[in-house]
Each structure stands twice: as structure tokens, then as C-alpha cells.
Amino acid sequence: MRIEEDIKLDFKDVLIRPKRSTLRSRKDVDITRSFTFKWSGRKYDGVPIIAANMDSVGTISMAQSFIKLKTGMSVALHKHYHIDKLNEFYDKYGGQSVWYSIGMVKDDQEKLDSFVKERPSVIEKLCVDVANGYSEHFVDFVKSIRDKFPDITIMAGNVVTGEMVEELILSGVDVVKVGIGPGSVCTTRKMTGVGYPQLSAIIECADAAHGLGGLICADGGCTVPGDIAKAFGAGADFVMLGGMLAGHDQSEMEIIEENGNKYMIFYGMSSDTAMKKHKGGVAGYRASEGKTVKIAYRGDISQTLQDILGGVRSACTYVGATKLKELSKRMTFIRVTQQINTVFGND
Ligand code: 5GP
């Protein structure tokens, strides 16, 4: 047994130190990034915020709204769409603004294979998602996907430590997804005791990835736009959001009315609810590692997106970053014991 004594931090443990700036307004800030992915060689130009591949967030409606509103953001489409639905979307819109998601199960691979056979070059980006990215089996799986699809951009995870980021990048991953346990509907830390404070995970994993010409996507734990700014400031190339985008018209979920108030159900992808819906139940050998919550219905996504993008832009102006790329270079975090004044509640 060993104990690591150095302090690991979460978003709630820090604030961003403001710096002198020549920027006049948040309008002058460019929050797009351009990347050339290490393995696929493809170019990316956009706002590097991704809707998570959860079945009420990574939806086709969400992708259509992102495209319509010209946000520049992308959506990791959840893996439970029928192949015909996916086909219809990729016809119409191509693959630029979405990530096609798979897990390690055979069904996902068969669906991907038949999709690629039918539409050979339409998938540009893949999101390979498992709860625990530490298994050798996962590394082998990622290698086989890279061999099969040399020119598709692969994002894969999740992991939280530098050595595993390196192993995944050397195995053909372009973007390593970082985060174990920080998610809004995740119960992994409670059920298993496993996890890593997300801000430190981002800082350490970004360092490991960038050293090898790879990228990371900070996945989970953002609760407000300021957390997204902190994630970029800590070195994340992409940030993935679940809960912050849940509960909207784009969720493709039923609206529940109770005493004149409107709600939606939001759940983790390994919760009882998700497993019952997609797999007919929770397999006997595993525990659910996600929760189900009832959240206030929030209407159309456009106002939420404006708040998110406005918040990130504003963070850039506070530290004098003209471009999102400069944010991490200009970032000084201050350790704090309090984030906000709660006299009128926690909002
Ligand atoms: P959020 O932005 O809601 O804090 O986090 C979103 C992330 O939580 C997802 O991208 C995914 O990595 C993770 N996640 C989603 N569902 C589950 C679940 O059921 N269990 C766990 N452990 N993580 C989940």
C-alpha cells in the first residue's frame, strides 16, 4: 500500500487569477481551435466542446441544433441509434460535426462495420467509450480499431493518469478521454472508491498527451461555464458535457408535468434505467454505476449554449487570451476555500 501525499485538485478548489489585458470585449475572443490529429492526419477547426454520448445529450436533435445555430461544437452521438437513423443523419449532414460512438461489445462493432461498408468514408470521428480504460483488452481493442480505420480520428477512454494516456496514444488514439468518477450522474466513486480529482487529472494527462503530439478531452464534472474555462485553462483540448446540456428539447425525452412544473428524467449510461432500457436489465455480475435524477425542463438549448460560450469567452478576456489556445498559457490558478457567495442560495 502507498499513499500519495501531494494535493490533487478539483474545479471547486481553484479560481482563475485575472491578468492585465488589451482585449476590449469578449467579441474579440476566438474560441475555436485548429488541430491536426496525430494518427488520422485529419484537420479539425471548431469550438472544442462536445455533447456527451449519453442518450439524452448526444442526440441527433442536439447535433441538428448545433449545426443550425452555427456553434462550431460537436456531438458524440449515443450508440443506441438504429443504423437507419444514423444513415439518414450522415446523408444529410455528413460527419463533420459528430463523433460516431462505440463500446467494446460485439453489437457495436457489427453495426459500425455494416455502416462503414455502406458509407465507406462518411465517418470522420469515432468515440470509443468504456467506463474503465485501464484494461489490456481495451488497449488491444483500440489498436485493432486503429488498424482497421487508419484515417478516422479516434477519441477513446476513460483514464485519469499520464502513463495510461501515453499507452493509449501510442496505441493509435488521437484524443484521450479523461475522467473517472466526476460525472453528474456517475456513482463510480461511491460504488468503487475509485477516481481522481478532475482538475489535476486534466493537468497531468494533458502534459502526458501533448508530449507525444496527442490531445485530451476532459470528460465530466463541469457544472457551470467557469468549470469549462478551468478545464481549458488546465490544458484540455476538448471538453465533454453531459449534465449541463441535459433537460432540453433536444434531449429526445418525454416532458413530465407535475403540479404545473415540467421535468425530464436524466440518467447515467450505466444506471439501472439505461441498462433496463437498452439491455433489458442489469447483468448479475455488475452493479449499476450511474444514477437517475428528475431535473427541471429547460426548454430550447440555445440560451444554455449562449451562456456556455459567453462564459468561456469572458474567461479569456479576464486573462487576456485573444484565442482559446492561449488560455492555458496565461492561466494561473489560485487555491481557494470558497467559490461563490451563497447568501441567496447556491445558484
Ligand atoms: P457530466 O458532464 O454530466 O458531469 O459528465 C458526463 C460524463 O459522465 C459522460 O461523458 C460519461 O463519461 C460519464 N457518465 C455518463 N453516464 C455514466 C454512468 O452511468 N456512470 C459513470 N460512472 N459515468 C457516467
Side-chain angles (χ1 to χ4, degrees):
M1 196 279 292
R2 214 169 74 87
I3 296 181
E4 282 186 24
E5 299 282 359
D6 57 326
I7 292 169
K8 304 290 179 188
L9 302 168
D10 247 311
F11 298 130
K12 68 164 182 29
D13 300 317
V14 300
L15 284 169
I16 298 169
R17 188 184 218 278
K19 294 215 165 94
R20 281 178 62 212
S21 151
T22 53
L23 277 162
R24 279 168 191 271
S25 136
R26 64 183 77 172
K27 277 209 300 288
D28 300 335
V29 175
D30 175 7
I31 55 166
T32 60
R33 296 275 328 248
S34 302
F35 302 115
T36 301
F37 295 112
K38 179 182 170 84
W39 294 100
S40 72
R42 284 179 188 263
K43 292 203 179 335
Y44 169 93
D45 224 325
V47 173
I49 299 176
I50 306 173
N53 49 313
M54 301 170 76
D55 65 7
S56 61
V57 176
T59 63
I60 285 179
S61 314
M62 191 69 82
Q64 286 166 328
S65 291
F66 282 13
I67 293 166
K68 196 175 107 209
L69 296 165
K70 298 193 171 66
T71 58
M73 294 162 59
S74 56
V75 172
L77 292 174
H78 71 76
K79 65 177 198 172
H80 300 290
Y81 278 117
H82 190 275
I83 192 164
D84 294 345
K85 272 264 183 199
L86 291 171
N87 225 329
E88 206 179 293
F89 176 87
Y90 277 89
D91 266 351
K92 203 162 167 199
Y93 298 99
Q96 212 193 344
S97 52
V98 289
W99 303 72
Y100 181 112
S101 304
I102 54 166
M104 279 203 296
V105 296
K106 209 161 142 243
D107 284 359
D108 296 354
Q109 288 162 63
E110 284 171 2
K111 188 163 85 178
L112 174 64
D113 285 343
S114 54
F115 191 80
V116 171
K117 210 162 155 197
E118 217 174 301
R119 315 285 311 273
S121 52
V122 76
I123 294 181
E124 296 183 14
K125 301 188 275 287
L126 262 184
C127 169
V128 187
D129 194 23
V130 295
N132 171 10
Y134 281 79
S135 80
E136 253 341 281
H137 184 45
F138 177 60
V139 174
D140 292 342
F141 179 69
V142 163
K143 281 184 189 155
S144 72
I145 296 284
R146 171 51 71 211
D147 288 346
K148 216 157 140 189
F149 306 113
D151 61 356
I152 290 184
T153 301
I154 299 177
M155 170 163 69
N158 283 19
V159 300
V160 283
T161 50
E163 87 286 359
M164 208 58 207
V165 168
E166 286 167 0
E167 176 148 11
L168 287 174
I169 289 173
L170 295 173
S171 305
V173 174
D174 297 292
V175 186
V176 177
K177 214 143 68 77
V178 173
I180 293 188
S184 57
V185 280
C186 164
T187 56
T188 295
R189 292 180 183 175
K190 212 165 132 184
M191 294 302 289
T192 68
V194 177
Y196 209 98
Q198 184 69 349
L199 187 85
S200 288
I202 296 169
I203 294 170
E204 293 167 27
C205 292
D207 193 43
H210 296 162
L212 291 173
L215 302 172
I216 67 155
C217 173
D219 177 19
C222 289
T223 58
V224 288
D227 291 343
I228 304 172
K230 289 173 188 174
F232 284 127
D237 304 289
F238 289 87
V239 175
M240 183 172 261
L241 304 177
M244 283 185 72
L245 301 179
H248 293 90
D249 292 334
Q250 286 73 5
S251 296
E252 299 180 358
M253 286 278 156
E254 191 190 336
I255 299 172
I256 302 164
E257 289 213 43
E258 275 173 22
N259 306 323
N261 296 318
K262 293 181 177 174
Y263 303 94
M264 273 188 181
I265 298 295
F266 179 51
Y267 47 83
M269 292 316 289
S270 46
S271 64
D272 286 4
T273 312
M275 285 195 267
K276 274 186 203 129
K277 186 165 174 185
H278 301 297
K279 302 203 178 94
V282 183
Y285 62 88
R286 61 181 294 179
S288 145
E289 282 181 26
K291 62 182 163 190
T292 302
V293 291
K294 193 170 76 182
I295 59 174
Y297 164 63
R298 300 166 71 192
D300 187 70
I301 194 77
S302 51
Q303 185 58 48
T304 303
L305 295 181
Q306 201 174 321
D307 288 348
I308 289 174
L309 300 178
V312 174
R313 260 199 204 99
S314 190
C316 290
T317 63
Y318 272 108
V319 299
T322 344
K323 294 177 176 355
L324 184 59
K325 185 181 179 185
E326 293 163 19
L327 191 61
S328 67
K329 297 192 183 100
R330 301 184 66 92
M331 185 62 43
T332 304
F333 288 117
I334 320 155
R335 284 191 51 209
V336 296
T337 53
Q338 186 177 335
Q339 287 279 320
I340 49 168
N341 183 334
T342 57
V343 71
F344 296 121
N346 285 315
D347 292 336

